[in-house]
Every structure is written in structure tokens, then in C-alpha cells.
């Protein structure tokens, strides 16, 4: 049976590490991949195993939680008091024997205290290393002090020889495929940076590629495509290329998940619901989430309006979207299962599976030199 904790001997002391996955996991992964699993409150889950952990007489307990927050403090500021977000309530509810909490999910760098307890996060992609310094009284077997900090990881520093060998071997095996030029763009770079309305040039291109792959009747007869911004992992290419060529590795870096395209029928009313399920602004639990849309579809949202009623206009090829009419819509398989909390997509009917998203993207880029467009499909008011 899998254990949610592990006892580690560090010098003369025993440290228990206990982990908890994100309670909101069903909203950020493909739902079909976690069918039958239950995700519970992080604090309650950790507290439930604390009696078992404490029975082994650990000298300290550290919680590892895939939940996080945001802080106004810089990553190297110690003991900040500005932490906000869901993790704050989680920490406050944890058993008093948990000495410190290492967090994630929000990709922030901070070292804060919540009700006196250290809470740290090391940003993302190995940029920072979370470090905890614990002072333990060996006579009383008790933690007397905890200090949390983030250590900057210098990529120019010495590298582990064994890991370097593994990376070199992987690079050797994949380089022939990754370095293959697959297309020439009409610009040195197309970026995923979103404008004030939430639209990006690369998001437009990807949505267009998915529509192009599913527009034909035999491939679904789609008229609209939506792309989740979280699935766009990099600019294309990562740095501007004067030659304007892109390789398969660069295309894969943009879309690495291998999702299948799915065409379904939605009513105009369901499309409106879909757009209302977006996160229009950053929150403590994560960044805003604006779907990227294909050419021909346009909509306007008003920030001053209440949640659930922000979208004020939708059109397809200049004609208003009819709430009662049926439209063939393309999304990737992650979204089709209700990923990113776009639950209305589970109601889509007459589904038809299609190509891999990366294949549709690659084929679209090959067809003609693509360049950044005007980014005028999404309009924001107020």
C-alpha cells in the first residue's frame, strides 16, 4: 500500500515528510486519467495520518503540498507576512506538529510565515531551491526554530556527472528528430504573450491550426476551435530566429502533451457558458485563463460585469451566435473532458476524435509561412 509519508534519518534526528496532492487536481488534469479517484482537502488528509506518523516519534514533520499562493515579497525575503491564496487556510488547519510547509502549484518564489509556521515555495523549473534549516533540541527531541529560504540555482555552476551523462545520452537519441526543420514562419518569432483582453498571437495560430485540421466534413465539420492557454508552453521559437525556421523540437516544446483533437456539437448557449467559465483575472489560486479562439469567431467581455455574466457579444463570421443553434466546435482532449474546469464541454454531443494536436499544429505551419496576426478576436471592455 502506498504511504503518504516517509521517515528520513538526518544525522541524529528523524524527520517525517508527509505529502498531499492538490485538492483541485480534477480541474487541472484530464479527468478521464483520474476517473475513480477522490481528492480531498489537503489539511484534512495530512491530519488524518498524523497519529500514525507521531507514533513513530519523529523529531520534526515537514509537509509537502502541491498547493500554493502569492506574496508581495521577493523570493529571497525571509519571513514575509504577505502570503495569500488557498494554501494559507491549508496551513492554518494543519496539525500543530507540522513544523514547516513546502508548497508549489503557483510557481512563485517566497519564504513566508503563516501563524508562525514557515511556508516556502521555490518558483518553477529548477530556478530556486527550497531550503529549510531546523534547530532541534536533542534532549527534548523538539523543534526549537525553523528558518526557510530560497537558494538561487546558478545554471553555470558545477553539474552532477551522472545526471549530465543521462542528459547527454537522451540528447543524443532525440537530437535527430528534435533538430529537424519542419516549417518556415513569416516572422522571427510568434509569442504566447497575451494582450489586455487575454489573446495571444501564438494562441490564435494554434486555434487556427486545430480548426484547419477539423474543418472538413469527414474530420468533424468544425466551425470554431478553442485552445487552453495553459497548454501553450513556450514561444515559437523560444528565441527570435532571423532565419525564421522552426524545428520539430521547438514545435514540441510549445505543445508537448500529445492531446487528441475532439470535435463536438455545442449550442450557442453552451458556448456562452464555456466563455463564462474562464478566469478573466489573476486570482490567488492561479493566473487568468482565457481561451484562445480560431479565425472567424469573436467575442467581447466586460470586466465591470459580475462573474458568470461578463461575455456581452459573440459572433461567427460577423453573424451573432444564436443561443439555440448548434455549432461544431474543436477542442483538445484535455478540454473535452472538462479540464481547467471548463465543465460544460462534457456536455458536447456527437463527438469525433481526430489527430494529435502537435500534428495539426505542425501541418498548419508547413502549409504556408505563418506570422503574428492583429489579435482582434477577443475584445475587453472596462
Amino acid at each position: 500500500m502506498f504511504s503518504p509519508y516517509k521517515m528520513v534519518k538526518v544525522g541524529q534526528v528523524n524527520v517525517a515528510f508527509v505529502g498531499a496532492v492538490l485538492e483541485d487536481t480534477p480541474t487541472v488534469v484530464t479527468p478521464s486519467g483520474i476517473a475513480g479517484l477522490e481528492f480531498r482537502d489537503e489539511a484534512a488528509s495530512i491530519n488524518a495520518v498524523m497519529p500514525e506518523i507521531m507514533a513513530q516519534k519523529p523529531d520534526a514533520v515537514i509537509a509537502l503540498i502541491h498547493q500554493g499562493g502569492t506574496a508581495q515579497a521577493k523570493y529571497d525575503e525571509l519571513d514575509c507576512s504577505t502570503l495569500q491564496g488557498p494554501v494559507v487556510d491549508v496551513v492554518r488547519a494543519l496539525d500543530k506538529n507540522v513544523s514547516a510547509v513546502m508548497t508549489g502549484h503557483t510557481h512563485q518564489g517566497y519564504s513566508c510565515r503563516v501563524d508562525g509556521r514557515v511556508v516556502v515555495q521555490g518558483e518553477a523549473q529548477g530556478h530556486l531551491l527550497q531550503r529549510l534549516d531546523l534547530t532541534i533540541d536533542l534532549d527534548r527531541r523538539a523543534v526549537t526554530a525553523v528558518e526557510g529560504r530560497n537558494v538561487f540555482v546558478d545554471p553555470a555552476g558545477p553539474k552532477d556527472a551522472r545526471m549530465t551523462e543521462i542528459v547527454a545520452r537522451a540528447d543524443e537519441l532525440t537530437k535527430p528528430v528534435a533538430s529537424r526543420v519542419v516549417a518556415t514562419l513569416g516572422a522571427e518569432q510568434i509569442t504566447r504573450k497575451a494582450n489586455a483582453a487575454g489573446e495571444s498571437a501564438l494562441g490564435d495560430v494554434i486555434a487556427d491550426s486545430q480548426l484547419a485540421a477539423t474543418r472538413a466534413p469527414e474530420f468533424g465539420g468544425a466551425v470554431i476551435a478553442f485552445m487552453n492557454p495553459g497548454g501553450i508552453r513556450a514561444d515559437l521559437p523560444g528565441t527570435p530566429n532571423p532565419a525564421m525556421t522552426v524545428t520539430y523540437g521547438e514545435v514540441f516544446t510549445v505543445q508537448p502533451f500529445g492531446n487528441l483533437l475532439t470535435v463536438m456539437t455545442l449550442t450557442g448557449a453552451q458556448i456562452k457558458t464555456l466563455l463564462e467559465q474562464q478566469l478573466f483575472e489573476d486570482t490567488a489560486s492561479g493566473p487568468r485563463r482565457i481561451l484562445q479562439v480560431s479565425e472567424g469567431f469573436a467575442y467581447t467581455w466586460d470586466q465591470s460585469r459580475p462573474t458568470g455574466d461578463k461575455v456581452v457579444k459573440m459572433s461567427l463570421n460577423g453573424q451573432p451566435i444564436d443561443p439555440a443553434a448548434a455549432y461544431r466546435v474543436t477542442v483538445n482532449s484535455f478540454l473535452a473532458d472538462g479540464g481547467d474546469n471548463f465543465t460544460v464541454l462534457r456536455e458536447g454531443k456527437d463527438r469525433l476524435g481526430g489527430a494529435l494536436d502537435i500534428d495539426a499544429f505542425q501541418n498548419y505551419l508547413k502549409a504556408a509561412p505563418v506570422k503574428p496576426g492583429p489579435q482582434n478576436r477577443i475584445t475587453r471592455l472596462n
Side-chain angles (χ1 to χ4, degrees):
M1 180 179 177
F2 173 77
S3 174
Y5 66 89
K6 183 177 180 63
M7 299 292 295
V8 178
K9 187 77 172 180
V10 183
Q12 301 179 59
V13 301
N14 294 309
V15 180
F17 291 89
V18 56
V21 298
L22 184 69
E23 183 183 10
D24 292 335
T25 294
T27 71
V28 296
V29 303
T30 302
S32 60
I34 55 171
L37 299 180
E38 186 177 335
F39 294 84
R40 299 177 179 174
D41 176 81
E42 296 94 340
S45 299
I46 289 175
N47 291 345
V49 297
M50 284 301 294
E52 183 179 343
I53 293 175
M54 297 310 296
Q56 299 184 53
K57 301 187 182 304
D59 298 301
V61 180
I62 309 299
L64 313 175
I65 300 176
H66 193 98
Q67 178 56 285
T70 58
Q72 297 176 11
K74 295 182 178 180
Y75 77 90
D76 56 353
E77 180 180 327
L78 301 183
D79 298 333
C80 87
S81 59
T82 59
L83 187 63
Q84 297 180 324
V87 76
V88 173
D89 288 337
V90 172
V91 173
R92 286 173 173 159
L94 284 174
D95 186 285
K96 62 181 178 59
N97 289 299
V98 175
S99 299
V101 183
M102 291 181 158
T103 68
H105 190 48
T106 52
H107 295 186
Q108 303 291 308
Y110 53 72
S111 179
C112 301
R113 286 188 185 268
V114 175
D115 292 345
R117 187 152 35 190
V118 169
V119 185
V120 295
Q121 183 175 145
E123 209 232 13
Q125 299 178 346
H127 297 162
L128 301 174
L129 177 67
Q130 299 179 51
R131 171 171 175 160
L132 291 174
D133 292 297
L134 281 69
T135 302
I136 298 175
D137 185 321
L138 295 179
D139 293 327
R140 296 190 293 123
R141 314 304 295 192
V143 177
T144 59
V146 180
E147 183 180 87
R149 67 177 65 245
N150 279 306
V151 180
F152 175 70
V153 178
D154 185 356
K159 295 178 173 55
D160 180 82
R162 290 183 61 193
M163 182 58 68
T164 298
E165 182 181 351
I166 293 172
V167 171
R169 178 57 177 161
D171 184 60
E172 178 186 350
L173 292 172
T174 60
K175 191 172 183 178
V177 176
S179 62
R180 176 169 48 88
V181 174
V182 297
T184 299
L185 302 179
E188 293 185 5
Q189 186 183 43
I190 305 176
T191 75
R192 60 176 179 161
K193 183 179 180 180
N195 60 19
E199 182 180 354
S200 73
L202 188 52
D204 287 352
V205 172
I206 292 175
D208 287 348
S209 74
Q210 296 182 358
L211 179 61
T214 55
R215 181 184 280 120
E218 62 270 28
F219 295 130
V223 295
I224 305 169
F226 294 104
M227 175 62 192
N228 56 306
I232 307 173
R233 308 303 286 188
D235 296 334
L236 182 72
T239 57
N241 177 13
M244 294 189 277
T245 56
V246 291
T247 65
Y248 180 81
E250 290 166 333
V251 172
F252 183 85
T253 300
V254 172
Q255 286 201 283
F257 297 111
N259 287 311
L260 293 170
L261 300 185
T262 304
V263 184
M264 63 180 69
T265 298
L266 296 176
T267 65
Q270 288 172 318
I271 292 174
K272 171 73 156 56
T273 298
L274 172 67
L275 297 177
E276 295 292 358
Q277 289 182 336
Q278 299 176 116
L279 290 180
F280 289 96
E281 290 296 331
D282 293 348
T283 66
S285 60
R288 70 174 178 174
R289 192 163 56 230
I290 304 293
L291 291 169
Q292 304 301 289
V293 303
S294 57
E295 185 178 12
F297 181 80
Y299 74 95
T300 299
W301 62 279
D302 188 338
Q303 176 59 29
S304 68
R305 296 179 67 86
T307 298
D309 191 30
K310 290 185 179 294
V311 177
V312 296
K313 185 188 299 183
M314 301 182 298
S315 65
L316 178 62
N317 299 321
Q319 299 300 311
I321 292 291
D322 181 350
Y327 299 86
R328 294 291 281 167
V329 173
T330 300
V331 294
N332 59 44
S333 50
F334 168 72
L335 285 174
D337 274 352
D340 273 350
N341 222 25
F342 290 108
T343 55
V344 70
L345 290 173
R346 297 175 190 162
E347 302 172 11
K349 298 180 179 179
D350 302 321
R351 294 177 177 235
L352 179 66
L356 283 169
D357 54 4
I358 189 173
D359 289 343
F361 187 33
Q362 182 180 192
N363 291 338
Y364 186 76
L365 296 175
K366 287 179 179 178
V370 177
K371 59 184 178 181
Q375 299 169 61
N376 57 2
R377 303 171 188 182
I378 305 174
T379 301
R380 172 180 174 172
L381 302 178
N382 298 310

